[in-house]
Amino acid sequence: MRSRFNLRDLPPLKALRGFEAATRHQSIRDAAAELCLTPPAINHQLQIIEQALGVRLFAQDGRHVVSTEEGRLFYPYVRAAFESLMEGAEAVRRHALDTPLRVQTYVTASIRWLAPRVPQFLADNPGITLSLTTCAVDWTFDEAHADVGLVYCAETPDPERYHWVPLFDYTLDPVCSPAFLERAGGQMDAAMLMHQPLVANYTEANNWARWFAAAGVAFAGQAPYLMVDTLAVALEMALAGRGVALVNGPFADADLAAGRLVRPVDHTAIAPGGWGLICRQPMKDKLPVRLFIDWVTADVAGGVADSA
């Protein structure tokens, strides 16, 4: 038995929008204004529907239009169809908001930048739930278990596969506590810094050598050197006055602004790549993902201070 459901029997959906607005307003001009179209465009849409149905839907009454008997008969069906579509769209939006948004980042980026911002994001976007996960070793975006990531990429990800929004340069800055700097004799140059206890993250073992090279000093293998597993640990050691950490982004900005950390040497090295938001291309228009990316991007552009 042949199904009666054949979309080819329907006038174009875009034209039906024009019919619905024109009928509701009983005005071509008002319908055009509502749909951001020109009156001739609305007239063209109405002609398409009339040709498809083989009837007149409107009659001219001076400067206005009035629905014909066929137009009045057709309107409730069109209106009900649009209301059903709107209910379906809203149901999908609610379902999307009910599903937790899975956000991936790293331990330090979470503790020192993203996690303190999450409560405000949720307050600004009621109805969204968020699951924040961290990874300490694997720097790649885990698309199987995350919808969006705040990650470091050495190169711009493949645009055919990923949507990438750059946020921060990968800057390298040595930091220490004011007390540590005072014990070391105050502000110093790069050569003097090499004799201080340097704290390094083993996943970024070459960053100190890169920073010293940018400062014009060859890194010496005999430099006092302590390896830890995350930048978060290195920064805690710096805050405790136990050594000099090398921060690779905005993760010490709040401590620097508050005076809990200082820069012992006034030199910043720019390393390849940068920090940004990443998701698979098909995910970028999903409502929670789009809201998260837009919110974080606006936060960075506005320079909101870290509350950590």
Side-chain angles (χ1 to χ4, degrees):
M1 182 176 178
R2 184 182 176 187
S3 172
R4 294 182 56 197
F5 189 79
N6 190 340
L7 293 177
R8 288 178 295 181
D9 293 339
L10 287 176
L13 182 61
K14 185 176 181 180
L16 289 173
R17 291 181 64 201
F19 165 77
E20 191 283 326
T23 304
R24 179 161 33 87
H25 290 291
Q26 292 292 282
S27 168
I28 301 296
R29 185 176 298 276
D30 291 347
E34 177 181 312
L35 298 177
C36 299
L37 297 172
T38 63
I42 295 293
N43 274 319
H44 179 64
Q45 291 181 356
L46 299 181
Q47 290 170 9
I48 291 174
I49 300 174
E50 289 176 339
Q51 290 171 4
L53 299 178
V55 298
R56 291 291 303 275
L57 298 173
F58 294 94
Q60 197 70 36
D61 183 14
R63 293 187 175 183
H64 300 282
V65 294
V66 294
S67 296
T68 64
E69 182 178 352
E70 289 81 2
R72 291 190 295 272
L73 176 64
F74 190 42
Y75 179 75
Y77 292 97
V78 174
R79 179 71 182 185
F82 278 125
E83 288 177 350
S84 180
L85 284 172
M86 288 188 290
E87 289 176 5
E90 183 59 29
V92 170
R93 292 189 186 100
R94 287 196 302 269
H95 181 269
L97 293 176
D98 289 341
T99 303
L101 173 65
R102 302 173 301 168
V103 180
Q104 172 201 350
T105 190
Y106 315 123
V107 172
T108 302
S110 178
I111 293 172
R112 295 197 142 262
W113 198 87
L114 184 55
R117 287 165 164 77
V118 166
Q120 188 59 54
F121 166 74
L122 296 176
D124 292 343
N125 297 274
I128 290 183
T129 57
L130 187 148
S131 172
L132 180 60
T133 60
T134 61
C135 63
V137 178
D138 189 358
W139 284 70
T140 60
F141 174 53
D142 183 5
E143 61 185 73
H145 299 96
D147 303 312
V148 61
L150 171 61
V151 299
Y152 163 76
C153 287
E155 299 177 349
T156 301
D158 178 6
E160 294 293 324
R161 183 170 182 177
Y162 296 111
H163 177 62
W164 170 253
V165 180
L167 294 179
F168 318 112
D169 290 333
Y170 194 78
T171 55
L172 300 177
D173 285 286
V175 294
C176 64
S177 71
F180 179 93
L181 183 60
E182 184 178 355
R183 292 196 305 270
Q187 204 73 21
M188 60 186 76
D189 60 24
M192 297 168 60
L193 181 64
M194 198 178 302
H195 299 288
Q196 303 300 322
L198 306 177
V199 187
N201 181 357
Y202 76 87
T203 61
E204 304 162 322
N206 295 325
N207 277 355
W208 270 117
R210 178 178 287 150
W211 183 87
F212 278 109
V217 178
F219 182 65
Q222 70 271 19
Y225 205 53
L226 173 64
M227 199 77 75
V228 296
D229 61 351
T230 67
L231 175 58
V233 174
L235 287 173
E236 288 301 314
M237 294 186 68
L239 285 163
R242 302 302 183 185
V244 183
L246 191 62
V247 66
N248 58 23
F251 311 121
D253 286 359
D255 291 307
L256 289 165
R260 294 186 292 268
L261 290 174
V262 294
R263 293 183 173 91
V265 179
D266 188 18
H267 175 73
T268 297
I270 305 296
W275 293 91
L277 297 170
I278 187 172
C279 67
R280 291 188 300 110
Q281 281 290 353
M283 293 294 296
K284 72 178 189 302
D285 294 321
K286 300 289 186 181
L287 182 60
V289 173
R290 176 165 52 82
L291 290 174
F292 181 79
I293 289 176
D294 290 348
W295 191 93
V296 172
T297 304
D299 180 83
V300 171
V304 179
D306 194 335
S307 60

